[in-house]
Amino acid sequence: MTSTAFSPNEDEVLDRVAPGLLILRNAKAVNAYVLDADKNVIRTIAKNNDVRKTPYTSIMEGMNGDGLANYATAEYANWDGMLYNSQTGEYEVAKDGQYYIQVEAIRAAGVEPQVITMPVKIDTCEPELKDVKMTEKDGESYVTFFV
């Protein structure tokens, strides 16, 4: 599984991350958490009861514009990159680094929950360009650089 990076810097570009899951059976509960780099729970982003499975017709008809189905959790379980600071009593943007989104589906009492953990990174640092060069050839301009 590859890691997804996002930058919660309020520029309206990749400011949030959300798991997109299809549920094939009804679930008694679906919960989503943010974990730190050591996989400790640091924020709960969703707790939903009596979640219905995704009907086959919705799967076939409901692909969004980029071709990815985004049911079950995305509309109510997204992380804006904020963590609660108990000293200030406010939510603040988490530090750059490795985090995980963990989704837990509980089908029934006494049944082992199904859990998936997805890596995400926060990266708010702007890239630094080096050796920027502009050249022209046959009336076309080309820019080359190293990041």
Side-chain angles (χ1 to χ4, degrees):
M1 185 176 290
T2 60
S3 183
T4 299
F6 73 113
S7 59
N9 56 8
E10 298 182 3
D11 66 356
E12 298 183 20
V13 177
L14 298 175
D15 284 338
R16 297 175 175 270
V17 66
L21 303 175
L22 296 174
I23 294 182
L24 301 177
R25 292 182 178 86
N26 293 342
K28 189 74 177 154
V30 176
N31 306 315
Y33 308 98
V34 177
L35 312 180
D36 64 15
D38 296 322
K39 297 190 178 177
N40 300 304
V41 175
I42 55 174
R43 183 171 175 192
T44 299
I45 54 175
K47 283 191 161 287
N48 294 277
N49 295 320
D50 300 320
V51 178
R52 294 188 47 91
K53 67 183 177 182
T54 308
Y56 178 76
T57 54
S58 295
I59 295 170
M60 297 310 293
E61 296 170 0
M63 299 296 193
N64 66 22
D66 58 8
L68 299 174
N70 210 11
Y71 300 104
T73 57
E75 69 267 8
Y76 56 78
N78 62 72
W79 184 37
D80 57 4
M82 305 294 273
L83 295 175
Y84 184 74
N85 181 333
S86 59
Q87 293 180 343
T88 65
E90 308 229 348
Y91 280 90
E92 300 173 354
V93 175
K95 294 179 182 174
D96 283 10
Q98 181 67 60
Y99 297 89
Y100 298 88
I101 301 294
Q102 185 176 77
V103 179
E104 168 190 68
I106 302 166
R107 287 192 21 218
V111 176
E112 187 75 22
Q114 292 181 326
V115 178
I116 185 167
T117 305
M118 299 161 272
V120 297
K121 289 187 179 182
I122 290 184
D123 181 4
T124 58
C125 298
E126 293 183 11
E128 184 179 317
L129 303 181
K130 298 178 183 174
D131 297 326
V132 178
K133 296 178 185 170
M134 186 168 148
T135 57
E136 288 192 37
K137 182 178 179 182
D138 299 328
E140 300 281 332
S141 297
Y142 298 91
V143 178
T144 58
F145 56 88
F146 292 95
V147 179

